[in-house]
Amino acid sequence: MLNAEKIRQDFPILNRQVNGKPLVYLDNAATSQTPQQVIDVIVDYYANYNANIHRGVHTLSQEATDKYEEARHIIQKHFNAKHAHEIIMTAGTTHGINLVASGFTNILQKGDEVLVSALEHHSNIVPWQMLCQKTGATLKVIPMNTEGELLLTDYEALLSEKTKLVFVNHISNALGTINPIEYIINKAHKVGAAVLVDGAQACPHLKADMQALDVDFYVVSAHKMCGPTGVGMLYGKEKWLSKLPPYQGGGEMISEVTFQKSTYADLPHKFEAGTPNICGGIAFGAAINYMNRIGFSEIAAYEHELLTYATTELQAIDGLKIYGTAKEKTSVISFNIKGIHPYDIGTLLDKMGIAVRTGHHCAQPIMNFYQIPGTVRASFAFYNTKKEVDALVAGVKKAKMMLS
Ligand SMILES: *Cc1c(COP(=O)(O)O)cnc(C)c1O
């Protein structure tokens, strides 16, 4: 079993005090914390080999290029993509989704249908709405039940030869539901539709295998898995990435440029215009290595234990309701206390040094489904402890007493 107390020593920020209390960081679904091993890689880059990549003959540029491409290979191996050129370095999940949505502008036509799940983050809804406005395609929604699970029979009824694309998250950031994406992908492929999976919330909890899933597109953000912000991965099957036009024009993405015409570079560079987040990409690779050293099956088992313990303890509080009780669920707990606004609970918890998220969690359609303005969300990582769950439970009880 994973030793969280020992692991915590890797994370300098966890020694912080907030409002005079030891920090209890339970907002991991918004962003994860960064271990010293990754911080060291960032410092080393700027201290020793900061240079632009892919174009310099000088030593620093070569070193930076080698490290950056090494990171791409670490990412490829981790997600088990067939080719390194199927890994596009992005600014994060939102960027990756917009890249794909933009690429379909000239492929989708009026009469085509795209399906989006009821559990999506705004970043996996809005770009598709924009795409539908441009192309005349129709957006349809895969509904959910009160447990926070997608209704698969309804999904299958929605699928037809008109369906061109399906968007679904691997894990819901608002409720923690783990979606049966293998099944969803399989059914979509039977009608010839492509599937984009938003893996932003899954990447810190499990290892997704691109080839086994047979997924068409998969997007993640490094900052959800112990890496820096502003960098991420878009995985795309070679056949799709070859077909889609470039997202942005600029340096790095061309093969030849004249004022009459430009030809585009090969994959992955076709989609990587401009100077990328070089340091961020290298640190992303380091974060993946760090998490793999701990081990994803150990992480999953430990987090499940935290989830079970926290669920039991929180449920025992009178008037507390948990939203999202899917059978397959990760370490995210969204809840409210009867008669109290989530924001007030979050504010009082902060006074006690406990960081949780309050509000709609960029998933307003889910909040509308439950007819609530938002929830308090506690999300646990492998470096959280049962002691911190106890602090949360005591904090919520105290907040409840003060507010009712
Ligand atoms: C965090 C998150 C996003 C957005 O990621 P960015 O890094 O802000 O682009 C999208 N979807 C889900 C499920 C998320 O958890």
Side-chain angles (χ1 to χ4, degrees), residues 195-226:
V195 182
L196 179 140
V197 174
D198 170 353
Q201 205 55 237
C203 62
H205 303 295
L206 54 86
K207 212 167 157 159
D209 183 324
M210 300 301 101
Q211 292 185 75
L213 287 170
D214 196 27
V215 66
D216 301 283
F217 302 99
Y218 196 93
V219 287
V220 303
S221 296
H223 72 94
K224 299 275 169 94
M225 55 184 308
C226 298

Side-chain angles (χ1 to χ4, degrees), residues 276-297:
N277 184 349
I278 302 167
C279 176
I282 296 168
F284 184 12
I288 288 177
N289 282 343
Y290 176 82
M291 291 199 71
N292 276 310
R293 278 196 299 274
I294 292 171
F296 276 84
S297 45

Side-chain angles (χ1 to χ4, degrees), residues 24-288:
V24 176
Y25 186 77
L26 304 177
D27 194 18
N28 295 285
T31 199
S32 57
Q33 294 303 343
T34 318
Q36 191 62 49
Q37 288 86 337
V38 174
I39 297 172
D40 287 345
V41 167
I42 294 169
V43 172
D44 181 45
Y45 172 80
Y46 284 108
N48 291 309
Y49 61 98
N50 176 27
N52 212 329
I53 53 168
H54 295 144
R55 37 198 145 183
V57 293
H58 63 80
T59 302
L60 296 194
S61 175
Q62 295 286 346
E63 284 179 15
T65 304
D66 288 350
K67 292 273 192 195
Y68 192 69
E69 290 307 317
E70 188 185 315
R72 194 190 305 275
H73 281 94
I74 293 168
I75 297 165
Q76 177 205 352
K77 188 157 169 263
H78 178 71
F79 289 99
N80 195 29
K82 195 164 176 195
H83 307 290
H85 62 248
E86 292 175 319
I87 304 296
I88 310 297
M89 304 293 265
T90 65
T93 301
T94 305
H95 177 205
I97 294 171
N98 278 282
L99 189 159
V100 176
S102 149
F104 274 90
T105 311
N106 294 322
I107 296 176
L108 281 198
Q109 295 174 345
K110 202 170 158 57
D112 287 345
E113 293 180 356
V114 301
L115 303 185
V116 60
S117 101
L119 284 169
E120 295 313 297
H121 189 284
H122 294 163
S123 72
N124 207 19
I125 301 174
V126 184
W128 307 114
Q129 286 174 332
M130 289 161 67
L131 177 66
C132 286
Q133 275 164 12
K134 277 188 235 161
T135 58
T138 310
L139 187 92
K140 296 200 164 175
V141 181
I142 308 164
M144 61 186 260
N145 63 20
T146 46
E147 283 76 36
E149 295 164 330
L150 293 176
L151 298 172
L152 296 176
T153 322
D154 295 58
Y155 166 59
E156 284 176 55
L158 283 169
L159 284 171
S160 74
E161 71 281 0
K162 285 191 206 156
T163 316
K164 293 294 178 277
L165 285 164
V166 176
F167 322 110
V168 62
N169 55 35
H170 198 161
I171 295 184
S172 154
N173 65 304
L175 304 179
T177 310
I178 304 173
N179 287 312
I181 58 163
E182 206 163 342
Y183 184 85
I184 290 171
I185 293 164
N186 192 282
K187 292 289 174 196
H189 284 172
K190 289 222 157 75
V191 298
V195 182
L196 179 140
V197 174
D198 170 353
Q201 205 55 237
C203 62
H205 303 295
L206 54 86
K207 212 167 157 159
D209 183 324
M210 300 301 101
Q211 292 185 75
L213 287 170
D214 196 27
V215 66
D216 301 283
F217 302 99
Y218 196 93
V219 287
V220 303
S221 296
H223 72 94
K224 299 275 169 94
M225 55 184 308
C226 298
T229 56
V231 64
M233 167 197 81
L234 159 66
Y235 161 81
K237 271 188 192 162
E238 186 182 47
K239 72 162 188 191
W240 280 115
L241 294 180
S242 305
K243 194 169 171 184
L244 298 188
Y247 178 45
Q248 292 178 317
E252 288 281 358
M253 54 73 72
I254 44 80
S255 157
E256 226 179 305
V257 176
T258 66
F259 281 110
Q260 283 70 44
K261 185 175 181 299
S262 300
T263 50
Y264 306 130
D266 291 336
L267 292 174
H269 305 293
K270 179 172 114 181
F271 291 108
E272 296 183 348
T275 303
N277 184 349
I278 302 167
C279 176
I282 296 168
F284 184 12
I288 288 177

